[in-house]
Short mmCIF file of all heavy atoms in Angstrom, two decimals:
data_model
loop_
_atom_site.label_atom_id
_atom_site.label_comp_id
_atom_site.label_asym_id
_atom_site.label_seq_id
_atom_site.Cartn_x
_atom_site.Cartn_y
_atom_site.Cartn_z
N SER A 13 110.60 86.26 105.84
CA SER A 13 109.26 85.99 106.29
C SER A 13 108.21 86.70 105.54
O SER A 13 107.20 86.16 105.13
CB SER A 13 109.18 86.32 107.78
OG SER A 13 107.86 86.14 108.29
N ASP A 14 108.42 87.97 105.35
CA ASP A 14 107.45 88.83 104.55
C ASP A 14 107.36 88.28 103.11
O ASP A 14 106.21 88.28 102.59
CB ASP A 14 107.98 90.24 104.51
CG ASP A 14 107.73 90.96 105.86
OD1 ASP A 14 107.12 90.36 106.75
OD2 ASP A 14 108.32 92.07 106.09
N THR A 15 108.46 87.89 102.54
CA THR A 15 108.44 87.37 101.20
C THR A 15 107.65 86.14 101.07
O THR A 15 106.74 86.05 100.18
CB THR A 15 109.89 87.08 100.75
OG1 THR A 15 110.72 88.23 100.85
CG2 THR A 15 109.92 86.60 99.27
N VAL A 16 107.79 85.27 101.99
CA VAL A 16 107.07 84.01 102.06
C VAL A 16 105.58 84.27 102.12
O VAL A 16 104.77 83.70 101.44
CB VAL A 16 107.56 83.03 103.12
CG1 VAL A 16 106.59 81.85 103.25
CG2 VAL A 16 108.97 82.53 102.77
N LYS A 17 105.19 85.10 103.08
CA LYS A 17 103.82 85.37 103.39
C LYS A 17 103.18 85.96 102.11
O LYS A 17 102.04 85.61 101.81
CB LYS A 17 103.70 86.42 104.58
CG LYS A 17 103.93 85.83 105.96
CD LYS A 17 103.85 86.89 106.98
CE LYS A 17 104.20 86.40 108.34
NZ LYS A 17 104.15 87.47 109.38
N PHE A 18 103.83 86.94 101.50
CA PHE A 18 103.15 87.59 100.33
C PHE A 18 102.99 86.62 99.10
O PHE A 18 102.01 86.46 98.49
CB PHE A 18 104.03 88.81 99.85
CG PHE A 18 103.39 89.55 98.75
CD1 PHE A 18 102.39 90.45 98.97
CD2 PHE A 18 103.76 89.30 97.44
CE1 PHE A 18 101.84 91.15 97.90
CE2 PHE A 18 103.18 90.01 96.40
CZ PHE A 18 102.17 90.92 96.68
N GLN A 19 104.11 85.81 98.90
CA GLN A 19 104.08 84.93 97.77
C GLN A 19 103.16 83.72 97.95
O GLN A 19 102.81 83.02 96.99
CB GLN A 19 105.50 84.42 97.48
CG GLN A 19 106.40 85.59 96.91
CD GLN A 19 107.78 85.14 96.62
OE1 GLN A 19 108.41 84.35 97.34
NE2 GLN A 19 108.31 85.65 95.49
N CYS A 20 102.75 83.45 99.23
CA CYS A 20 101.77 82.39 99.46
C CYS A 20 100.35 82.83 99.45
O CYS A 20 99.41 82.01 99.75
CB CYS A 20 102.12 81.72 100.81
SG CYS A 20 103.66 80.75 100.77
N LEU A 21 100.08 84.08 99.19
CA LEU A 21 98.69 84.60 99.16
C LEU A 21 97.80 83.80 98.15
O LEU A 21 98.30 83.54 97.03
CB LEU A 21 98.64 86.10 98.78
CG LEU A 21 99.19 87.02 99.86
CD1 LEU A 21 99.26 88.48 99.30
CD2 LEU A 21 98.29 87.00 101.11
N LYS A 22 96.54 83.61 98.51
CA LYS A 22 95.63 82.87 97.63
C LYS A 22 94.56 83.62 97.01
O LYS A 22 94.14 83.51 95.86
CB LYS A 22 94.98 81.64 98.42
CG LYS A 22 95.93 80.65 98.92
CD LYS A 22 96.69 79.94 97.84
CE LYS A 22 97.66 78.92 98.38
NZ LYS A 22 98.44 78.28 97.29
N ASP A 23 94.15 84.72 97.80
CA ASP A 23 93.04 85.59 97.25
C ASP A 23 93.03 86.91 97.97
O ASP A 23 93.93 87.17 98.79
CB ASP A 23 91.68 84.88 97.50
CG ASP A 23 91.47 84.46 98.96
OD1 ASP A 23 91.93 85.15 99.84
OD2 ASP A 23 90.81 83.42 99.20
N SER A 24 92.12 87.79 97.51
CA SER A 24 92.08 89.20 98.08
C SER A 24 91.76 89.27 99.56
O SER A 24 92.19 90.14 100.29
CB SER A 24 91.05 90.00 97.31
OG SER A 24 89.81 89.34 97.30
N LYS A 25 91.06 88.26 100.01
CA LYS A 25 90.79 88.17 101.54
C LYS A 25 92.02 87.91 102.30
O LYS A 25 92.23 88.62 103.38
CB LYS A 25 89.67 87.07 101.77
CG LYS A 25 89.11 87.20 103.28
CD LYS A 25 87.88 86.35 103.39
CE LYS A 25 87.25 86.59 104.73
NZ LYS A 25 85.96 85.76 104.84
N ALA A 26 92.87 87.08 101.85
CA ALA A 26 94.14 86.79 102.47
C ALA A 26 95.01 88.05 102.40
O ALA A 26 95.76 88.31 103.31
CB ALA A 26 94.76 85.60 101.76
N LEU A 27 94.88 88.80 101.31
CA LEU A 27 95.73 89.94 101.11
C LEU A 27 95.28 91.04 102.18
O LEU A 27 96.13 91.68 102.85
CB LEU A 27 95.52 90.58 99.75
CG LEU A 27 96.26 91.97 99.51
CD1 LEU A 27 97.75 91.79 99.67
CD2 LEU A 27 95.86 92.39 98.09
N SER A 28 93.99 91.17 102.38
CA SER A 28 93.51 92.16 103.36
C SER A 28 93.95 91.79 104.76
O SER A 28 94.31 92.65 105.58
CB SER A 28 91.97 92.29 103.37
OG SER A 28 91.37 91.05 103.89
N HIS A 29 94.00 90.49 105.07
CA HIS A 29 94.51 90.04 106.33
C HIS A 29 95.97 90.41 106.51
O HIS A 29 96.42 90.81 107.63
CB HIS A 29 94.29 88.53 106.47
CG HIS A 29 94.71 87.95 107.79
ND1 HIS A 29 94.06 88.20 109.01
CD2 HIS A 29 95.77 87.19 108.14
CE1 HIS A 29 94.73 87.58 109.98
NE2 HIS A 29 95.81 86.99 109.48
N LEU A 30 96.73 90.11 105.50
CA LEU A 30 98.19 90.41 105.54
C LEU A 30 98.48 91.91 105.77
O LEU A 30 99.40 92.30 106.47
CB LEU A 30 98.88 90.00 104.29
CG LEU A 30 100.35 90.19 104.15
CD1 LEU A 30 101.11 89.39 105.17
CD2 LEU A 30 100.89 89.91 102.71
N LEU A 31 97.57 92.72 105.19
CA LEU A 31 97.75 94.18 105.31
C LEU A 31 97.05 94.79 106.55
O LEU A 31 96.98 95.93 106.70
CB LEU A 31 97.19 94.88 104.07
CG LEU A 31 97.87 94.41 102.68
CD1 LEU A 31 97.28 95.17 101.53
CD2 LEU A 31 99.40 94.65 102.82
N HIS A 32 96.49 93.86 107.40
CA HIS A 32 95.84 94.25 108.60
C HIS A 32 94.74 95.21 108.42
O HIS A 32 94.51 96.25 109.01
CB HIS A 32 96.86 94.94 109.54
CG HIS A 32 98.06 94.08 109.83
ND1 HIS A 32 98.07 92.94 110.54
CD2 HIS A 32 99.35 94.33 109.43
CE1 HIS A 32 99.36 92.44 110.53
NE2 HIS A 32 100.11 93.19 109.88
N PHE A 33 93.84 94.82 107.42
CA PHE A 33 92.69 95.63 107.10
C PHE A 33 91.45 94.68 107.01
O PHE A 33 91.49 93.70 106.40
CB PHE A 33 92.90 96.26 105.68
CG PHE A 33 92.29 97.70 105.62
CD1 PHE A 33 93.12 98.79 105.87
CD2 PHE A 33 90.98 97.85 105.30
CE1 PHE A 33 92.62 100.07 105.74
CE2 PHE A 33 90.51 99.16 105.12
CZ PHE A 33 91.31 100.32 105.42
N GLU A 34 90.39 95.10 107.68
CA GLU A 34 89.15 94.30 107.76
C GLU A 34 88.60 94.17 106.35
O GLU A 34 88.54 95.17 105.56
CB GLU A 34 88.11 95.02 108.63
CG GLU A 34 86.91 94.14 109.00
CD GLU A 34 85.80 94.21 107.97
OE1 GLU A 34 85.63 95.32 107.41
OE2 GLU A 34 85.17 93.17 107.71
N PHE A 35 88.29 92.96 105.91
CA PHE A 35 87.98 92.65 104.50
C PHE A 35 86.94 93.50 103.85
O PHE A 35 87.07 94.03 102.78
CB PHE A 35 87.63 91.14 104.31
CG PHE A 35 87.43 90.76 102.87
CD1 PHE A 35 88.44 90.93 101.93
CD2 PHE A 35 86.13 90.35 102.48
CE1 PHE A 35 88.20 90.56 100.62
CE2 PHE A 35 85.95 90.01 101.13
CZ PHE A 35 86.94 90.06 100.22
N ASN A 36 85.74 93.69 104.50
CA ASN A 36 84.66 94.46 103.84
C ASN A 36 85.06 95.88 103.72
O ASN A 36 84.76 96.48 102.66
CB ASN A 36 83.34 94.40 104.77
CG ASN A 36 82.74 92.98 104.76
OD1 ASN A 36 82.89 92.24 103.76
ND2 ASN A 36 82.13 92.54 105.83
N SER A 37 85.78 96.43 104.68
CA SER A 37 86.23 97.81 104.57
C SER A 37 87.33 97.89 103.50
O SER A 37 87.37 98.87 102.68
CB SER A 37 86.87 98.26 105.88
OG SER A 37 85.91 98.24 106.87
N PHE A 38 88.14 96.88 103.43
CA PHE A 38 89.21 96.77 102.36
C PHE A 38 88.56 96.87 100.95
O PHE A 38 89.04 97.63 100.11
CB PHE A 38 89.93 95.42 102.56
CG PHE A 38 91.05 95.17 101.59
CD1 PHE A 38 92.30 95.78 101.69
CD2 PHE A 38 90.91 94.19 100.56
CE1 PHE A 38 93.31 95.50 100.82
CE2 PHE A 38 91.86 93.89 99.78
CZ PHE A 38 93.14 94.50 99.89
N VAL A 39 87.49 96.11 100.77
CA VAL A 39 86.81 96.10 99.44
C VAL A 39 86.23 97.48 99.15
O VAL A 39 86.29 97.97 98.01
CB VAL A 39 85.72 95.02 99.39
CG1 VAL A 39 84.86 95.16 98.17
CG2 VAL A 39 86.36 93.61 99.51
N ARG A 40 85.61 98.11 100.10
CA ARG A 40 84.96 99.43 99.97
C ARG A 40 86.00 100.40 99.57
O ARG A 40 85.78 101.33 98.68
CB ARG A 40 84.22 99.84 101.24
CG ARG A 40 82.91 99.17 101.38
CD ARG A 40 82.11 99.98 102.42
NE ARG A 40 82.74 100.03 103.75
CZ ARG A 40 82.55 99.11 104.72
NH1 ARG A 40 81.74 98.02 104.42
NH2 ARG A 40 83.10 99.19 105.86
N VAL A 41 87.15 100.44 100.25
CA VAL A 41 88.18 101.40 99.89
C VAL A 41 88.68 101.24 98.49
O VAL A 41 88.83 102.22 97.70
CB VAL A 41 89.37 101.25 100.87
CG1 VAL A 41 90.55 102.12 100.41
CG2 VAL A 41 89.00 101.59 102.31
N ILE A 42 88.88 99.97 98.10
CA ILE A 42 89.40 99.73 96.75
C ILE A 42 88.30 100.12 95.65
O ILE A 42 88.61 100.70 94.61
CB ILE A 42 89.84 98.30 96.55
CG1 ILE A 42 91.01 98.01 97.45
CG2 ILE A 42 90.12 97.93 95.12
CD1 ILE A 42 91.37 96.53 97.56
N GLU A 43 87.08 99.70 95.94
CA GLU A 43 86.00 100.02 94.97
C GLU A 43 85.71 101.54 94.82
O GLU A 43 85.17 102.00 93.85
CB GLU A 43 84.75 99.26 95.32
CG GLU A 43 84.87 97.77 95.11
CD GLU A 43 83.57 97.02 95.47
OE1 GLU A 43 82.72 97.62 96.09
OE2 GLU A 43 83.45 95.86 95.08
N ASN A 44 86.02 102.25 95.91
CA ASN A 44 85.73 103.75 95.93
C ASN A 44 87.03 104.56 95.96
O ASN A 44 87.09 105.57 96.57
CB ASN A 44 84.81 104.11 97.07
CG ASN A 44 83.55 103.45 97.03
OD1 ASN A 44 82.59 103.80 96.24
ND2 ASN A 44 83.36 102.33 97.83
N ALA A 45 88.02 104.04 95.28
CA ALA A 45 89.31 104.72 95.26
C ALA A 45 89.24 106.16 94.70
O ALA A 45 88.49 106.41 93.74
CB ALA A 45 90.36 103.93 94.41
N SER A 46 89.84 107.10 95.40
CA SER A 46 89.91 108.49 94.91
C SER A 46 91.22 109.10 95.14
O SER A 46 91.94 108.67 96.10
CB SER A 46 88.77 109.27 95.63
OG SER A 46 89.09 109.37 97.02
N TYR A 47 91.64 110.03 94.33
CA TYR A 47 92.86 110.67 94.34
C TYR A 47 92.67 112.15 94.28
O TYR A 47 91.77 112.69 93.55
CB TYR A 47 93.78 110.18 93.15
CG TYR A 47 94.36 108.86 93.34
CD1 TYR A 47 93.59 107.72 93.14
CD2 TYR A 47 95.76 108.66 93.51
CE1 TYR A 47 94.15 106.39 93.29
CE2 TYR A 47 96.27 107.38 93.69
CZ TYR A 47 95.48 106.27 93.55
OH TYR A 47 96.03 105.08 93.62
N GLU A 48 93.59 112.89 94.88
CA GLU A 48 93.70 114.34 94.78
C GLU A 48 94.81 114.66 93.72
O GLU A 48 95.89 114.13 93.93
CB GLU A 48 93.97 115.06 96.05
CG GLU A 48 94.07 116.60 95.90
CD GLU A 48 94.56 117.19 97.22
OE1 GLU A 48 94.70 116.52 98.21
OE2 GLU A 48 94.78 118.40 97.14
#
Side-chain angles (χ1 to χ4, degrees):
S13 177
D14 289 348
T15 303
V16 171
K17 286 178 183 178
F18 184 82
Q19 292 180 317
C20 289
L21 290 172
K22 299 298 182 184
D23 52 33
S24 55
K25 192 167 187 178
L27 175 62
S28 70
H29 179 73
L30 180 66
L31 302 181
H32 307 291
F33 216 93
E34 193 274 324
F35 181 63
N36 291 330
S37 300
F38 180 75
V39 172
R40 282 197 300 272
V41 170
I42 295 171
E43 289 181 346
N44 297 284
S46 63
Y47 284 73
E48 178 186 355

